[in-house]
Amino acid sequence: MMAVLGFVAVLALVTGLIHLYLWKRLVRDTTTPGRWRRIGGIAALVLALLVPVTLAGTQAGLYWLAWPGYLWLALMFYLLVVLVVLEVPMLVARLVLRRRVVAAEPTTAAPEPVLVGAAGPTEPPAAGAVAAPDHDPSRRLLLARGAAIFAGLTATGVTGYGIRTALGPPHLDRVRIPLAKLPRSMDGLRIATVSDIHLGPLRGRAHTERIVAAINRLDADIVAVVGDLVDGSVAELGSAAAPLRDLRSRHGSFFVTGNHEYYSGVEEWVQEVDRLGLRVLQNRRQEIQARGGVLDLAGVNDLTAVGTGLAAGPDFAAALGDRDPSRPVVLLAHQPLAAKEAARYGVDLQLSGHTHGGQMVPFNLAVGLEQPVVSGLGEVDGTKVYVTNGAGFWGPPVRVGAEPQISLVELRSA
């Protein structure tokens, strides 16, 4: 809970600064002093408070705040992005207007007489003379309003597209990954992989049912749920998660914790997921015997567990030590970052989620600063890492440039 409150406090500061910028560009620059500027200022203040209030309120069970709060968070983000992109052309346009105004100023036909006084030569002041303005206020106001309208329409359009994508069915990503140690008899073993389902204020039982039905249609050998199943307690979301009991696979369904499980009562959820028929790999591995071959399927707790004190952190030695190194090993770990440690144990393939593929472009650029792989197949220190985009969303019900996803990973013998 303290981690959540700290995050809300930081977000409140950041969103406060963002709203100050939005007020400057969308209210102050587009209005003259008076009633409309005051109304715009009040609206900016209310919207700035809405974001942290939504995060804190949904944690307290005030789910009715989720839709307005999270939708505004997305719209705010894209207003910021568009307006920042417009800063350079707006600056150029203002400079051009200023040069035109200066060029249009009248010039005197003859020099004025010089008066000589005790203090030296001086120019006589022209009657009623005033300093020439450095810009045309009416044109500058028109320019600011045009930019505000463009930003508003663009941000609204992108957000609307993102809502449709996020609430739509997850897309299937099929990927073939060769493993040098995979026996030829196990060639084609398929692992249905899903992450970041994020049951919570905006996603319930119907979301789980749709995901389970999509996975079952794949007729996979193994099902792997790699964390961030929920954003709430078992009491709140147990019924929403219940359809997971219907998952079908030849060799079992498996689960590892994500960071959000540690915000939602991790011990209760581990018990609940186990009750629903998924084996929870908490720093342990499972031998998978299939088609006359053997594969080690391992799982580690999420990295977030270290700072919560709620459960043991990831223990790679417990999950991967003392195993037969001739066998291929696939590791389930919520965060791609875990691969840096997993590579030391000779992991052939790590399956992860967490990143949401960035969820909202260009936020994926920031995610890439923290995680070694944001989406799809990559490699970390010799270990192959596949990151699925996740089937749900966190925060805004918006996905732009990273559609919701279920992945079918087909292992091939090299």
Side-chain angles (χ1 to χ4, degrees):
M1 180 59 72
M2 292 302 296
V4 174
L5 292 177
F7 175 74
V8 171
V10 171
L11 186 65
L13 175 61
V14 173
T15 54
L17 294 174
I18 292 174
H19 280 80
L20 181 62
Y21 171 76
L22 295 181
W23 170 82
K24 172 70 168 58
R25 287 289 178 254
L26 300 179
V27 179
R28 187 177 183 276
D29 289 355
T30 62
T31 61
T32 55
R35 177 185 178 187
W36 289 111
R37 181 175 289 185
R38 289 194 296 272
I39 292 174
I42 293 171
L45 178 60
V46 171
L47 291 172
L49 293 173
L50 178 61
V51 174
V53 167
T54 296
L55 290 176
T58 51
Q59 287 289 320
L62 301 177
Y63 291 157
W64 59 270
L65 284 168
W67 277 107
Y70 286 132
L71 284 179
W72 169 246
L73 183 62
L75 190 58
M76 177 203 76
F77 175 72
Y78 281 113
L79 281 171
L80 174 66
V81 170
V82 176
L83 287 170
V84 168
V85 170
L86 287 176
E87 286 292 341
V88 172
M90 286 286 289
L91 176 61
V92 172
R94 286 195 292 268
L95 290 175
V96 170
L97 285 177
R98 182 175 297 181
R99 290 174 67 89
R100 287 181 178 177
V101 170
V102 172
E105 290 177 6
T107 57
T108 55
E112 295 290 338
V114 177
L115 302 179
V116 180
T122 62
E123 296 286 344
V130 295
D134 63 349
H135 63 277
D136 185 332
S138 62
R139 290 186 178 181
R140 182 166 182 145
L141 186 63
L142 182 62
L143 183 65
R145 288 175 176 173
I149 291 171
F150 177 82
L153 292 175
T154 303
T156 300
V158 172
T159 302
Y161 164 80
I163 293 171
R164 181 179 179 180
T165 302
L167 297 181
H171 291 250
L172 176 63
D173 182 41
R174 295 177 181 266
V175 58
R176 292 182 174 182
I177 303 177
L179 300 182
K181 297 178 184 177
L182 188 73
R184 290 196 178 277
S185 63
M186 298 183 74
D187 184 74
L189 188 79
R190 300 185 302 167
I191 306 175
T193 307
V194 65
S195 75
D196 302 280
I197 295 173
H198 283 292
L199 299 174
L202 301 179
R203 281 304 207 184
R205 188 183 181 98
H207 180 50
T208 313
E209 289 173 343
R210 181 163 67 178
I211 291 170
V212 168
I215 290 175
N216 287 344
R217 286 194 295 270
L218 299 177
D219 192 29
D221 297 291
I222 299 169
V223 173
V225 182
V226 286
D228 278 8
L229 171 65
V230 292
D231 286 302
S233 67
V234 172
E236 295 167 328
L237 299 172
S239 62
L244 290 175
R245 66 164 59 94
D246 298 324
L247 282 170
R248 296 193 304 268
S249 61
R250 292 183 179 83
H251 303 289
S253 299
F254 300 86
F255 177 82
V256 291
T257 56
N259 54 307
H260 282 248
E261 271 70 62
Y262 295 93
Y263 312 144
S264 306
V266 64
E267 294 180 358
E268 287 187 344
W269 274 113
V270 166
Q271 295 174 7
E272 181 67 10
V273 169
D274 182 73
R275 189 182 69 81
L276 293 173
L278 284 77
R279 181 164 185 182
V280 184
L281 297 178
Q282 292 188 288
N283 299 326
R284 59 192 302 181
R285 66 179 179 271
Q286 171 74 43
E287 182 181 276
I288 304 294
Q289 297 185 8
R291 307 179 185 182
V294 181
L295 174 145
D296 285 331
L297 183 68
V300 291
N301 292 345
D302 184 60
L303 300 169
T304 303
V306 175
T308 64
L310 299 174
D315 189 336
F316 293 87
L320 300 166
D322 300 325
R323 65 179 185 84
D324 184 349
S326 67
R327 292 180 183 174
V329 58
V330 175
L331 176 68
L332 308 183
H334 180 61
Q335 297 191 42
L337 190 62
K340 293 186 176 181
E341 184 68 18
R344 296 176 54 196
Y345 290 86
V347 168
D348 299 286
L349 171 64
Q350 177 176 305
L351 301 179
S352 297
H354 183 65
T355 66
H356 297 201
Q359 186 165 325
M360 295 166 59
V361 169
F363 189 69
N364 57 308
L365 301 178
V367 176
L369 298 176
E370 180 191 18
Q371 300 292 336
V373 182
V374 176
S375 181
L377 184 62
E379 188 170 307
V380 177
D381 298 335
T383 290
K384 294 178 181 179
V385 180
Y386 176 79
V387 181
T388 185
N389 286 351
F393 52 80
W394 182 82
V398 175
R399 276 183 171 269
V400 178
E403 58 192 13
Q405 190 176 80
I406 292 171
S407 301
L408 185 63
V409 177
E410 184 176 330
L411 305 182
R412 306 306 302 264
S413 57

